[in-house]
Amino acid sequence: MNSAADRLQNVRSGIAQAAALAKREPADIQLIAVSKGRTAEEIDPLISAGQRDFGESRVQEALGKWPALLARHPDVRLHGIGRLQSNKSADAVKLFDVIHSLDRASLLNALVNEGQNAGRHPAVYVQVNIGEEEQKGGCAIAEVVALVDAVRASPLPLAGLMAIPPAGLEPGPYFALLATLARRHGVTGLSMGMSSDFKDAVMLGATAVRVGTALFED
């Protein structure tokens, strides 16, 4: 069985190979280890191996395991990558350094208000429903410019755009579309790509990839 360090090195090597093909610097791509559903005992070896960015989908799950981990590893950055209810904004602001799932003005307002209360303003990605799927989070493509402008007018730093392509379809065209939207609106950050397609995402401009299975399972 591969160790956590081996799995981390394999993913980093994959990022480096894709970056080289795209004539990009690997250091410009942030690797986020998706630790949702993983225990502290599973996460600790990756931290020991040098991984510093982790992603969680559910606020309650993250609250159950990360305060103790962060107390031991204060340099770790925690990312909220799942759909976020406005009533979880207070906890999200206190826990997450970056939120990847901002998809509506009401959530932005809630995060701004809670950020002012906490004296802490996490960076945010505007999530785009790139495949126009009814069941999936993200703002409509036509609403991207308004939400991006609203973030820029707020105290929350704009990290970029995020999207999850439709399952079962070739992700490349959706990654390319998100990159086009980012260029159109003067946005540089692109959170896209997971275990099965992060190399494609890197080649099409991802600045952050969210990888779970490849880092936690052989």
Side-chain angles (χ1 to χ4, degrees), residues 102-105 108 126-129 138-154 158 160-161 178 180-187:
L102 176 64
D103 60 359
R104 59 196 186 278
L108 173 61
V126 170
Q127 182 176 356
V128 183
N129 188 342
C139 70
I141 291 173
E143 298 170 355
V144 171
V145 63
L147 197 49
V148 164
D149 286 347
V151 174
R152 285 176 167 151
S154 82
L158 176 65
L161 302 182
L178 192 70
T180 297
L181 290 172
R183 287 192 297 272
R184 183 180 300 162
H185 301 303
V187 177

Side-chain angles (χ1 to χ4, degrees), residues 31-166:
L31 172 60
I32 300 166
V34 177
S35 51
K36 65 177 182 179
R38 308 293 177 176
T39 65
E41 290 72 24
E42 292 174 287
I43 294 167
D44 252 328
L46 273 177
I47 298 177
S48 297
Q51 177 62 22
R52 285 298 177 270
D53 289 274
F54 289 82
E56 290 284 341
S57 291
R58 296 179 177 85
V59 172
Q60 286 305 116
E61 180 187 341
L63 283 171
K65 64 190 177 187
W66 274 103
L69 282 165
L70 291 171
R72 297 198 302 271
H73 307 284
D75 58 336
V76 163
R77 293 173 293 271
L78 199 57
H79 300 247
I81 61 172
R83 294 183 78 170
L84 183 60
Q85 297 174 331
S86 295
N87 62 6
K88 300 291 186 183
S89 295
D91 288 330
V93 162
K94 293 173 186 174
L95 189 61
F96 297 130
D97 299 290
V98 187
I99 293 170
H100 292 241
S101 51
L102 176 64
D103 60 359
R104 59 196 186 278
S106 60
L107 177 58
L108 173 61
N109 292 336
L111 291 171
V112 168
N113 291 336
E114 295 300 343
Q116 290 171 339
N117 292 337
R120 190 171 192 267
H121 296 102
V124 294
Y125 285 88
V126 170
Q127 182 176 356
V128 183
N129 188 342
I130 203 72
E132 300 179 330
E133 299 171 272
E134 289 185 8
Q135 78 280 11
K136 190 170 285 183
C139 70
I141 291 173
E143 298 170 355
V144 171
V145 63
L147 197 49
V148 164
D149 286 347
V151 174
R152 285 176 167 151
S154 82
L156 304 182
L158 176 65
L161 302 182
M162 183 274 251
I164 303 171

